[in-house]
Amino acid sequence: IRYWSVTGVQTCALPILTRRDLLRFSRDRSQILGAVGRPAIWMLLFATGLHHAFTGVDARIGYKQFAYAGAIAMTILFGGMFQGVTIVWDREFGMLRAVLVAPVSRTAIVVGKTVAGACVTLLQGLAAAAFAPLVDVHFGPVDALRLLLAMATMSVAVTALGVTVGSRMRTFEGFGVISNFVVLPLYFLSGGVFPPEGLPPWMRVLVMANPVSYGVDLMRAAINQPHAFSAALDVGVLAAFAAAMCGAALTAFRRVAG
């Protein structure tokens, strides 16, 4: 009887924790504004300007189309990493201690945080993807489904990375510094801002070693844009990245003290 009661508590904890973070996002207008404003500024302002400043990205697409997948990746990176701050927030206001003393395993807490954060991050990514008609990117329903799956996998990976970082941080200031230190190199070395072909060899090595590069490449392949790697390699690297980050999040959170 005790086993089944504990199992029932663990099962109920996942949707409760997920619903809590989703409600928090829906009531935070700054997050919603950021989810729409960040890709809008990048795709409609920066990409339009760079479209006229740079030539030769690819003969088949312009810079605005080239930057489309990168803008989605940027939104997912910032959105997913920001989910880790909820752990710092819960620690600051005592909610984390209450959750840790509840009859819920830390694995269930991490899964709930990651699932909720990935859902929020995916919603932000979808807001960025909705700008496609404004930057002359067009694709069909099947392509949209492939893009959605790529975005979902990347959302899980980046959210788990955010949970890992958030589990190690005790202050909002520390989280902000570390998250930017992690996000900015991942983004600028992802091939989403500039093509790796014209980079110095040492930077090309960093782009190849960056797992986010394969997420950006997979999104380009999903909507039939020119891409650098095979879809199988992109899927394999992105799935391995997601699995590794989930494992890191579990390991980091087991050491958390309220």
Side-chain angles (χ1 to χ4, degrees):
I1 295 175
R2 181 181 179 184
Y3 169 79
W4 288 111
S5 62
V6 171
T7 303
V9 170
Q10 309 285 359
T11 304
C12 292
L14 294 178
I16 291 172
L17 291 170
T18 301
R19 181 175 179 273
R20 174 175 175 265
D21 281 355
L22 288 172
L23 284 174
R24 176 157 47 189
F25 169 74
S26 67
R27 294 170 180 172
D28 190 341
R29 294 183 180 180
S30 62
Q31 281 199 64
I32 297 173
L33 180 62
V36 177
R38 191 182 296 116
I41 291 173
W42 183 257
M43 282 193 272
L44 299 182
L45 295 182
F46 288 102
T48 300
L50 291 172
H51 175 76
H52 296 285
F54 290 90
T55 58
V57 172
D58 193 285
R60 291 165 288 178
I61 60 174
Y63 188 81
K64 289 190 294 183
Q65 292 77 36
F66 173 84
Y68 175 72
I72 296 175
M74 175 187 66
T75 304
I76 291 174
L77 278 169
F78 279 96
M81 280 297 296
F82 186 79
Q83 301 310 311
V85 82
T86 61
I87 297 176
V88 183
W89 179 279
D90 288 345
R91 178 187 280 117
E92 186 78 13
F93 293 98
M95 179 63 187
L96 183 63
R97 186 182 300 275
V99 171
L100 292 176
V101 299
V104 180
S105 71
R106 299 200 175 191
T107 299
I109 297 172
V110 171
V111 172
K113 282 284 185 185
T114 303
V115 170
C119 290
V120 170
T121 302
L122 181 58
L123 289 174
Q124 296 182 51
L126 289 173
F131 284 90
L134 300 180
V135 292
D136 296 324
V137 173
H138 307 284
F139 46 85
V142 176
D143 301 331
L145 178 60
R146 292 200 298 258
L147 178 63
L148 177 64
L149 292 174
M151 291 167 57
T153 306
M154 189 170 172
S155 296
V156 171
V158 178
T159 301
L161 175 60
V163 171
T164 302
V165 175
S167 298
R168 308 297 295 173
M169 296 292 107
R170 289 192 169 273
T171 64
F172 295 111
E173 295 81 5
F175 180 85
V177 171
I178 296 301
S179 61
N180 282 322
F181 182 77
V182 172
V183 166
L184 292 179
L186 288 177
Y187 174 55
F188 285 108
L189 293 172
S190 68
V193 183
F194 34 72
E197 288 77 12
L199 297 178
W202 65 271
M203 286 190 71
R204 292 187 64 182
V205 171
L206 293 177
V207 171
M208 295 284 288
N210 181 5
V212 178
S213 301
Y214 299 87
V216 173
D217 195 70
L218 184 60
M219 287 190 282
R220 289 196 176 119
I223 57 177
N224 298 311
Q225 286 188 353
H227 50 98
F229 312 112
S230 68
L233 178 61
D234 289 336
V235 170
V237 173
L238 195 58
F241 178 45
M245 289 302 97
C246 289
L250 286 169
T251 301
F253 199 83
R254 287 195 182 106
R255 302 173 183 173
V256 167

